[in-house]
Amino acid sequence: MSSQSRPRPRYAYLGPTGTFTEAALRQVVSPEEAQYLPQVDVVSAIEAVRTGAADRAVVAIESSVEGGVTAVLDTLASGSALTIQREVLVPVSFTLVARAGTDLGAVGRISAHPHAWAQCRRWLAANLPGVVHVPATSNTAPAALLAGPDEGLPFDAALVPPPAVDHYGLHVLAGHVADNERAVTRFVVVGPPGDQPARTGADKTTLMVHLPSNQAGALLEMLEQFATRGVNLSRIESRPIGDALGRYSFSIDAEGHLEDERVAEALMGLHRVCPHVRFMGSYPRVDAPAGQVRPGTHDADFLAARRWVQDLRTGAAH
């Protein structure tokens, strides 16, 4: 089949047009090379891959301000297995917009995605004390509503990404309203299970792990599987399992690749002591350089130790 007749891959993402997720998707593949499938929320984007309606999904997984995106972490941790294949970073900033003719002093209700609201709290408290938050499903959903017919919207203004201003033809009330000018969001490309991206030497492995028990020392026992193999954790967050109070799983980003001996040994240790371990992918990392590999935990060290034990079993070494 020629490249011209081959169907374009389908990518589900949080829409509508102009979201930070679309900006992340454009870093992965252009709209000329793929079919963009906007979704109403991140769960729908992930489920589109599970049902076969999309080949891949691009979803936000971590904010430098708010931490993990719990809806994404929980959806990937349950249901049929999917794997993370790539990550990208998108700088995040916000503009306060409204319909033409609206003054800042007349704003009493602002529509915003919860993460956008969280990243603008201090500015809002200083400039619009007492303003009411109207939650939105995405960062550009309220922009699309403001650009539509005036049908008595339940809000006066919205917090949106700067590119949405021109796209939807909105009136700017205030720019640069985010509290942290260096805020970024990490997005991941999610697809069906299969071959992992090749090891690069600066990789990340994402897991969801249940504790081996609810007794004292259970968390330490789980963490020791990484520490004793020299595997550094760049992120660890607890999430409720949901079947009873006090029972938690842990969403983990570990430095390294499944093909690294230290990471493989850590996964085997987790498999031995923890009741549930979900592997969510090994992929190149982009957020920071890899940490130093501790002496004695390089691939050559594990392989040499394994050969030594094998020689002991055969009598070739003492």
Side-chain angles (χ1 to χ4, degrees):
M1 182 181 294
S2 68
S3 59
Q4 293 182 340
S5 60
R6 186 180 301 118
R8 294 183 299 164
R10 302 163 299 167
Y11 281 78
Y13 73 101
L14 176 63
T17 300
T19 59
F20 292 116
T21 310
E22 185 186 16
L25 174 54
R26 287 177 178 272
Q27 290 189 44
V28 176
V29 62
S30 73
E32 291 75 33
E33 299 171 311
Q35 183 180 357
Y36 287 11
L37 304 177
Q39 306 293 314
V40 296
D41 54 44
V42 292
V43 174
S44 299
I46 294 171
E47 292 302 331
V49 180
R50 286 187 169 135
T51 62
D55 302 302
R56 302 285 187 273
V58 174
V59 290
I61 197 169
E62 183 183 11
S63 160
S64 63
V65 176
E66 287 292 286
V69 180
T70 56
V72 170
L73 296 175
D74 293 346
T75 304
L76 291 176
S78 60
S80 59
L82 297 173
T83 58
I84 297 171
Q85 301 169 352
R86 181 179 172 181
E87 66 177 8
V88 296
L89 300 181
V90 175
V92 173
S93 61
F94 294 97
T95 301
L96 183 65
V97 299
R99 287 193 169 115
T102 302
D103 295 323
L104 185 62
V107 174
R109 298 170 68 85
I110 294 177
S111 182
H113 187 275
H115 280 266
W117 186 266
Q119 295 186 53
C120 302
R121 283 194 193 103
R122 292 197 298 274
W123 188 95
L124 292 168
N127 295 275
L128 291 169
V131 71
V132 176
H133 177 208
V134 179
T137 57
S138 78
N139 285 309
T140 55
L145 292 174
L146 285 171
D150 187 356
E151 297 178 348
L153 294 177
F155 56 88
D156 310 305
L159 292 169
V160 303
V165 176
D166 291 336
H167 181 82
Y168 291 100
L170 300 173
H171 171 58
V172 175
L173 296 175
H176 303 285
V177 299
D179 300 329
N180 186 343
E181 291 291 338
R182 295 192 297 268
V184 297
T185 296
R186 180 165 69 102
F187 293 82
V188 292
V189 179
V190 177
D195 294 337
Q196 297 301 302
R199 177 172 58 172
T200 68
D203 303 290
K204 183 180 293 182
T205 294
T206 299
L207 309 164
M208 182 64 78
V209 183
H210 291 194
L211 288 182
S213 69
N214 198 27
Q215 298 176 348
L219 178 57
L220 176 61
E221 185 178 6
M222 185 265 283
L223 293 175
E224 282 178 336
Q225 307 308 314
F226 298 102
T228 57
R229 279 93 176 178
V231 177
N232 187 49
L233 304 184
S234 59
R235 182 186 61 86
I236 177 169
E237 299 183 53
S238 62
R239 297 296 306 143
I241 294 175
D243 57 355
L245 287 173
R247 281 178 39 80
Y248 286 84
S249 60
F250 286 84
S251 177
I252 296 169
D253 286 339
E255 290 184 359
H257 193 279
L258 180 62
E259 294 298 325
D260 293 330
E261 291 292 329
R262 66 185 183 280
V263 174
E265 291 274 356
L267 288 177
M268 286 188 280
L270 292 171
H271 189 268
R272 289 198 309 270
V273 303
C274 297
H276 177 74
V277 180
R278 173 166 281 203
F279 173 77
M280 300 164 107
S282 289
Y283 47 94
R285 61 179 300 164
V286 298
D287 57 332
Q292 293 291 328
V293 178
R294 198 173 70 201
T297 63
H298 290 80
D299 279 8
D301 300 316
F302 282 98
L303 294 172
R306 197 171 296 137
R307 285 194 299 267
W308 176 68
V309 171
Q310 184 61 31
D311 287 346
L312 289 175
R313 288 170 174 168
T314 62
H318 302 282

